Amino acid sequence: MDANILIEKILNKKAIIGILGLGYVGLPLVLRYAEIGYKVLGIDIDADKVAKLNQGKSYIAHIPSAKIEMSLKQGFEATTDFARVSEADALILCVPTPLNKYREPDLTFVTDTTDMIVPYLRNGQVLSLESTTYPGTTEEELLPRAESTGLKVGEDIFLVYSPEREDPGNPNYETRTIPKVVGGHTEACLEVGKALYESAIDHVIVVSSTKAAEMTKLLENIHRAVNIGLVNEMKIVADRMGIDIHEVIRAASTKPFGFTPYYPGPGLGGHCIPIDPFYLTWKAREYDLNTRFIELAGEVNTNMPRWVISKTMDALNERGKSLKGAKILVLGIAYKKNIDDMRESPAVALMELLVEKGAIVHYTDPYVPVFPKMRKHHFDLSSVDPTSKNISSYDVLLLATDHAKFDYDMLQKHAKLIVDTRGVYLDACDNVVKA
Ligand SMILES: NC(=O)c1ccc[n+]([C@@H]2O[C@H](COP(=O)([O-])OP(=O)(O)OC[C@H]3O[C@@H](n4cnc5c(N)ncnc54)[C@H](O)[C@@H]3O)[C@@H](O)[C@H]2O)c1
């Protein structure tokens, strides 16, 4: 099919948008395309998620169910039936890209999804990969699979890569207002991809290839991982010198040019920053290159939970207590403030280290009422109510995630000891230790 026919169909909103993977990335896209008048088909292998969404129920805290209900009225439908891929004109892949146990890219979600849609691909579709990955994935994995159907990419079917940018819980940006980068396999692919995203996103930035688009996303996330590693290392140095790193960051941030603040914490969390950089590390080896900044930042960031635990031990020691047998309440276990996402949360690493050392560990998190089932971790716990009575019964409150919903004054008033990994408590007080 001529690219212009598909572009026309997209611009006229006659195109059906298929989103594969209805997670943190896929679901907001569903809502956006439905909101502007497209029929949207959401496809996921998770039957529970699909059933919930079809009942108008959200399963992500920052996406209200009312928005799902509205999108169903506007023409959204979720399904587990991959045969329906043939109905869609655009197929946008938003599936996970984790690391395997050797910390190497695990592309199986991307390749499995592609294998599952291949039997239903047809002339006149655009296939867009949004999952974060190493440069070359679209050409090496998606292109041959798409062409195994006999369809020619750039002529019958169009292939693009467009990385997702999301900052869950940030009220200043929404899908429409976050600029989006797109690269196409051919010029025609790019034109179709541009039309697909310009219909939904205010600002679309075109790059010369799918590889450049893949690398763009990695640069963004590596930039964060490396700078967070740097500031975490600075925190350890400052602490040893008796300097409060948060005071220093606040002061440095007054420089009107050439400085961007990054904030230290108990480690790195989330689906992206601790994982994505290693996609490049792995691919760079194929070119006989080492990504030393990435490895170094990874090393510093991975060691942060251990450093926090040693600070906690020291603080207890000074009070004549040992970590073994101490009652510890972890404040906030989501990977960052004001959200419910637990993926790669450093709080979980802290909890595991504490248990390993014989502490009695509980947690409180307004966003995580029950400790969820996680692939690698399990705690049979539910969130403790942070009442003054409960708070005062713990030897340590370990502040891992600084949710705005916590009453920090009340906590400080009733806690025996707070270990603050986020710089919440600005002024020195007897029962607060910064870590
Ligand atoms: N979460 C973020 O803030 C964010 C931001 C930018 C980029 N990304 C990237 O986007 C991608 C998706 O991340 P996410 O956070 O949305 O993941 P997620 O785990 O929230 O969602 C992925 C969804 O894909 C589904 N799925 C798995 N295999 C499938 C298959 N074969 N077919 C159809 N659906 C399948 C899962 O059931 C799940 O619902 C990743 O590559 C991630 O690195 C995420």
Side-chain angles (χ1 to χ4, degrees):
M1 183 194 279
D2 187 70
N4 289 322
I5 300 174
L6 181 54
I7 291 173
E8 203 53 34
K9 211 172 175 186
I10 293 170
L11 297 180
N12 292 335
K13 302 198 174 164
K14 296 273 187 288
I16 296 177
I17 311 294
I19 314 263
L20 292 117
L22 302 173
Y24 283 80
V25 169
L27 207 46
L29 265 186
V30 162
L31 299 179
R32 178 66 191 142
Y33 278 105
E35 172 188 84
I36 53 175
Y38 286 91
K39 191 165 177 238
V40 182
L41 194 58
I43 305 175
D44 203 293
I45 50 170
D46 186 335
D48 287 347
K49 243 176 229 181
V50 164
K52 258 194 186 154
L53 293 172
N54 279 333
Q55 287 161 17
K57 290 185 192 142
S58 171
Y59 70 95
I60 296 177
H62 66 270
I63 299 181
S65 291
K67 283 200 173 175
I68 309 286
E69 265 171 42
M70 178 58 81
S71 70
L72 291 170
K73 287 189 194 126
Q74 289 160 332
F76 162 52
E77 188 192 343
T79 181
T80 54
D81 181 4
F82 278 71
R84 298 195 59 191
V85 156
S86 59
E87 291 172 31
D89 301 285
L91 295 162
I92 306 181
L93 268 65
C94 308
V95 295
T97 42
L99 296 173
N100 67 19
K101 64 177 177 174
Y102 306 108
R103 298 197 68 71
E104 290 169 347
D106 174 5
L107 270 191
T108 49
F109 291 97
V110 172
T111 50
D112 288 355
T113 312
T114 314
D115 289 337
M116 286 161 88
I117 67 175
V118 157
Y120 311 105
L121 290 180
R122 58 162 172 83
N123 198 332
Q125 287 176 313
V126 51
L127 184 57
S128 173
L129 178 63
E130 295 216 4
S131 306
T132 307
T133 185
Y134 55 79
T137 308
T138 309
E139 280 175 6
E140 291 161 20
E141 302 293 343
L142 270 67
L143 179 70
R145 284 176 168 80
E147 292 200 330
S148 70
T149 55
L151 296 164
K152 179 94 184 106
V153 166
E155 290 173 17
D156 309 316
I157 195 161
F158 303 93
L159 185 60
V160 299
Y161 179 82
S162 178
E164 172 60 16
R165 286 172 169 157
E166 242 231 302
D167 191 9
N170 183 338
N172 301 324
Y173 292 98
E174 51 180 307
T175 308
R176 176 180 71 82
T177 54
I178 302 174
K180 200 142 173 46
V181 172
V182 186
H185 182 63
T186 66
E187 199 54 44
C189 293
L190 182 59
E191 287 308 315
V192 177
K194 208 168 151 255
L196 175 64
Y197 288 110
E198 277 181 349
S199 59
I201 314 280
D202 288 352
H203 189 40
V204 172
I205 302 101
V206 160
V207 292
S208 63
S209 64
T210 52
K211 266 185 178 172
E214 287 158 338
M215 188 67 140
T216 304
K217 174 70 185 180
L218 290 184
L219 174 62
E220 292 166 12
N221 285 359
I222 290 164
H223 164 92
R224 276 190 72 72
V226 167
N227 280 287
I228 292 169
L230 172 68
V231 84
N232 275 333
E233 187 173 80
M234 291 287 285
K235 169 163 89 165
I236 294 171
V237 175
D239 180 76
R240 187 73 64 87
M241 295 178 170
I243 300 164
D244 179 350
I245 189 68
H246 293 280
E247 182 188 2
V248 173
I249 296 170
R250 278 195 303 280
S253 300
T254 60
K255 185 178 176 186
F257 40 78
F259 181 81
T260 305
Y262 286 84
Y263 299 94
L268 270 191
H271 182 315
C272 297
I273 311 296
I275 290 172
D276 303 346
F278 295 98
Y279 269 68
L280 188 67
T281 299
W282 180 83
K283 191 66 178 173
R285 280 191 212 123
E286 193 181 310
Y287 296 80
D288 277 337
L289 290 169
N290 293 319
T291 54
R292 285 175 292 170
F293 273 105
I294 295 173
E295 300 277 9
L296 190 57
E299 197 182 306
V300 173
N301 290 328
T302 309
N303 280 326
M304 288 315 289
R306 286 188 187 278
W307 184 78
V308 169
I309 297 300
S310 78
K311 290 286 294 179
T312 308
M313 280 199 282
D314 289 349
L316 278 168
N317 194 39
E318 266 171 36
R319 288 159 178 80
K321 289 191 177 145
S322 72
L323 186 52
K324 188 170 178 147
K327 259 188 93 185
I328 308 223
L329 183 67
V330 178
L331 301 179
I333 60 167
Y335 86 83
K336 72 171 187 177
K337 68 194 284 182
N338 307 339
I339 63 165
D340 66 340
D341 195 341
M342 291 284 296
R343 289 177 295 178
E344 306 292 321
S345 176
V348 180
L350 291 174
M351 289 170 76
E352 282 178 341
L353 288 168
L354 289 169
V355 168
E356 213 177 280
K357 303 241 177 261
I360 299 151
V361 181
H362 297 153
Y363 82 90
T364 179
D365 192 313
Y367 295 93
V368 191
V370 176
F371 194 96
K373 283 195 196 105
M374 296 176 81
R375 249 182 299 164
K376 291 184 250 166
H377 316 276
H378 184 68
F379 282 93
D380 199 7
L381 292 174
S382 41
S383 177
V384 168
D385 193 7
T387 58
S388 52
K389 187 163 169 270
N390 282 342
I391 292 304
S392 57
S393 73
Y394 287 92
D395 296 306
V396 181
L397 304 188
L398 177 49
L399 202 179
T401 304
D402 50 342
H403 293 308
K405 282 189 181 170
F406 287 133
D407 181 345
Y408 291 103
D409 289 340
M410 185 281 278
L411 292 171
Q412 197 253 321
K413 201 164 145 209
H414 297 282
K416 289 186 185 121
L417 171 65
I418 297 179
V419 176
D420 175 8
T421 71
R422 297 285 184 178
V424 167
Y425 294 97
L426 301 180
D427 302 323
C429 30
D430 287 346
N431 66 343
V432 176
V433 168
K434 297 180 185 186

